Amino acid sequence: MKKATLQEIEARFDKDVERFSNLETGQATTLDAVWNMELITDAIVSLYPTIENILDIGCGAGNYDVKLLQKLHSNPNISLVDLSQPMLNRAKQRVETLTNGEIHLIKGDFREAPLENNKFDVIIATSVLHHLRDDGDWELAFKRLFNLLKIGGSLWIFDLIEQNNQHLQQLIYQEKYGEYLTQLKDEKYRDHVFDYILHEDTPRSLMYQLNLLSYVGFKNVDILHKNLCFASYVAFK
């Protein structure tokens, strides 16, 4: 099946700003979305109480940034990167009331965005990396994120993943996650979600990503949480 282009993904997100602006529900199709947002932002605040520079790639409407800034007492600079200009506009609108730091909006692909190396204390990447395609894309992306971080900085990921074992993939994704989607609405909705994931996304296994993070230079990689086909994980430079 031919995968969606970045332009097609951008067009879909341009029309979906409101759904991605809800701190209370997050994305309903994403297991433990709110729980992981609380966990990741609590961890960042605990490790970087005086954080200066934050980068959010695929920031959407800025939910993670809003939640993080509500917990911080510093006034960090925030760089927001997204394919969708309406998403960026909404994120800026929400974030600018919560920090006196500089806010930079960058529309486009984070792999090509004009960003300074060795600058960021923290990079947030939630529900974005599954849009990468082949091994070259994944390696390029992880190398770029590594280079953007300061020494001691960290990359925080929450995303859709797959299983290495195809029988487990069938059980965990098709059956268990499919059951969750059906209970959320109905079988037609389940099939709709599965169809756009197949069209837009190319998730990789958690182990693939953890190994690649170590390969490109991250010295400390850890799993935060996993529930069926969604996981959160962190890598330190």
Side-chain angles (χ1 to χ4, degrees), residues 9-17 83-87 107:
I9 295 170
E10 174 187 342
R12 184 171 77 84
F13 283 105
D14 280 351
K15 301 172 184 176
D16 215 6
V17 175
L83 294 175
S84 168
Q85 190 63 50
M87 288 287 191
K107 181 183 182 303

Side-chain angles (χ1 to χ4, degrees), residues 91-121:
K92 180 177 184 292
Q93 180 186 52
R94 300 169 77 202
V95 164
E96 63 187 358
T97 64
L98 298 171
T99 181
N100 293 323
E102 297 177 2
I103 300 172
H104 302 281
L105 302 185
I106 303 167
K107 181 183 182 303
D109 186 336
F110 73 90
R111 290 167 295 177
E112 302 171 352
L115 296 162
E116 183 181 342
N117 284 344
N118 305 302
K119 176 178 180 178
F120 298 98
D121 301 289

Side-chain angles (χ1 to χ4, degrees), residues 184-203:
L184 202 59
K185 199 166 184 181
D186 53 33
E187 290 183 355
K188 184 177 179 181
Y189 180 71
R190 175 201 64 194
D191 295 342
H192 167 72
V193 173
F194 279 164
D195 284 346
Y196 79 66
I197 289 175
L198 182 63
H199 182 51
E200 288 189 2
D201 306 337
T202 320

